[in-house]
Amino acid sequence: MPLPLYLLALAVFAMGTSEFMLAGLLPDIASDLDITVGTAGSLTSAFAIGMVVGAPLVAALARSRPRRPALLGFVLVFAATHAVGAVTTSFPLLFATRGVAALANAGFLAVALTAAAGLVPPDRKGRALAVLLSGTTVATIAGVPGGAVLGTALGWRATFWAVAVLCLPAALGILKGIPAGRDENEAAGRPALRAELGQLARPRLVLVMLLGALVNAATFGSLTFLALVVTDGAGLDELWISVALVLFGTGSFVGVTVAGRLSDRSPGPVIAVVGPSLLIGWAALAMSAGEPVILLTLVFVQGALSFALGSTLITRVLYEAAGAPTMAGSYATAALNVGAVAGPVVAAATLGTDAGVLGPLWASGLLVAVALLIAFPLLTVITAGRSTEELR
């Protein structure tokens, strides 16, 4: 894999730390700003909404611009929003900063996904995506738990400052590793924006985007409220939140790495095996959350299964949207974050039910079940071989 791909992954690490870090900070944010944990959870949805709206919009605006200044601008705006978030005492302003940060993240990821696919041969998109998403999974292993520890020791605002500082080496990496100019040959052969948007009328593309959104909704629904499961469900100390996040992140790294080697050529077996396993895992986690050892073991397993299945489906989005070379990354980003919007909302609604803090786990199982009910009758359609158009 080329070096610029790993430099893009460094920036994704910084942004992934921010996107996931709220899983360990929501109780403190709620207490500090005098709001409910459910309301604080809407910060996750605000970020995801910004990603959904921003991915296609910003990608369309940036499609004719050189990639290096576009990527650099997104990273610097992202850093600035976290500096503002770190000092505000207003929940509406904090909510707004999450939306703006998401727009920057969406623009970055949409351009980066397209850039990553262009850095490798056409039949290695899955592996390139795995490298890029490794920035997110490493964030869940190191950045998010580290942020939770920092938040416990110094308050949640310190974690926001840490993310802002973390963006600086990422920006330097982009300056050093991404070419400054525009590829004129690529631009000359680029379809018109209308033609790229027309790809969204393809049923198979819409189908894999929907499935990716459902699986990601399940992942974010439980991850957003994992802190409550650890402390209230299992009765563990707050420091165990970081342990759970490390385990989830380690599992996600394993899952996306293994799937990256399989999703290009064997997506069918991945979906057929991992999908039902993920469904069973969410139910098992909900029923065993009161047992700390089982809880922590299953958190690792669910991290691996969630990211293995999710990354495989997002890889299919990139293949299906091959006719939209500058917009395909935004479609993948939108699919991921439609789920990230819906998941925490659905999960938060279960907190007031008899299921209590375990409600998000049951909700995740339901979302995966819906995805499987849609996917299995159409599995051969979803995983059909790549066409000549897709390999261009």
Side-chain angles (χ1 to χ4, degrees):
M1 293 289 109
L3 177 61
L5 190 57
Y6 292 95
L7 296 173
L8 292 176
L10 174 63
V12 172
F13 168 74
M15 295 182 175
T17 297
S18 173
E19 186 172 6
F20 289 110
M21 69 184 181
L22 293 184
L25 301 177
L26 287 183
D28 288 342
I29 293 175
S31 176
D32 186 26
L33 300 182
D34 195 26
I35 55 177
T36 66
V37 174
T39 300
S42 67
L43 293 171
T44 299
S45 295
F47 196 94
I49 289 171
M51 293 281 282
V52 172
V53 174
L57 176 62
V58 180
L61 293 174
R63 69 192 300 267
S64 61
R65 301 179 183 277
R67 286 171 177 163
R68 187 169 80 177
L71 293 170
L72 181 62
F74 292 140
V75 169
L76 295 179
V77 169
F78 192 82
T81 60
H82 283 74
V84 173
V87 299
T88 186
T89 58
S90 166
F91 178 75
L93 180 56
L94 180 61
F95 188 93
T97 65
R98 296 303 289 171
V100 175
L103 288 173
N105 191 358
F108 179 89
L109 193 56
V111 175
L113 280 167
T114 303
L119 290 171
V120 298
D123 63 346
R124 303 188 75 187
K125 290 181 181 178
R127 294 193 67 175
L129 180 63
V131 171
L132 192 65
L133 290 182
S134 70
T136 298
T137 58
V138 171
T140 61
I141 295 169
V144 176
V149 171
L150 185 62
T152 300
L154 300 177
W156 64 270
R157 298 177 188 278
T159 304
F160 274 68
W161 279 118
V163 170
V165 172
L166 191 60
C167 289
L168 301 181
L172 181 60
I174 292 168
L175 281 174
K176 296 293 184 182
I178 304 298
R182 183 169 49 188
D183 189 332
E184 297 299 335
N185 292 329
E186 177 185 311
R190 178 182 299 157
L193 177 59
R194 178 177 294 182
E196 294 203 44
L197 293 175
Q199 294 292 306
L200 290 172
R202 299 180 63 229
R204 200 160 70 177
L205 173 58
V206 175
L207 175 61
V208 291
M209 290 177 67
L210 172 62
L211 296 175
L214 285 168
V215 171
N216 202 49
T219 303
F220 264 82
S222 286
L223 184 60
T224 299
F225 298 102
L226 184 58
L228 292 179
V229 176
V230 171
T231 56
D232 295 359
L236 297 172
D237 187 83
E238 285 188 0
L239 289 177
W240 283 96
I241 296 172
S242 299
V243 175
L245 291 171
V246 168
L247 288 171
F248 187 91
T250 303
S252 65
F253 181 80
V254 172
V256 77
T257 301
V258 173
R261 299 180 179 277
L262 299 174
S263 59
D264 285 315
R265 302 201 177 275
S266 304
V270 174
I271 296 171
V273 173
V274 175
S277 301
L278 182 61
L279 172 59
I280 294 170
W282 285 127
L285 185 55
M287 291 186 291
S288 307
E291 300 293 333
V293 174
I294 298 177
L295 167 68
L296 296 174
T297 300
L298 287 177
V299 163
F300 169 84
V301 172
Q302 291 304 95
L305 296 175
S306 294
F307 273 75
L309 183 58
S311 65
T312 296
L313 291 169
I314 295 305
T315 297
R316 298 311 302 168
V317 172
L318 293 177
Y319 277 120
E320 294 298 337
T326 67
M327 297 296 291
S330 71
Y331 300 159
T333 302
L336 281 169
N337 287 281
V338 165
V341 171
V345 172
V346 173
T350 68
L351 293 175
T353 68
D354 292 340
V357 297
L358 302 182
L361 304 178
W362 289 112
S364 292
L366 178 61
L367 289 165
V368 172
V370 172
L372 294 180
L373 287 173
I374 296 171
F376 269 63
L378 301 170
L379 191 58
T380 57
V381 175
I382 296 167
T383 60
R386 296 183 297 280
S387 68
T388 302
E389 178 189 31
E390 289 171 327
L391 288 176
R392 282 208 298 259

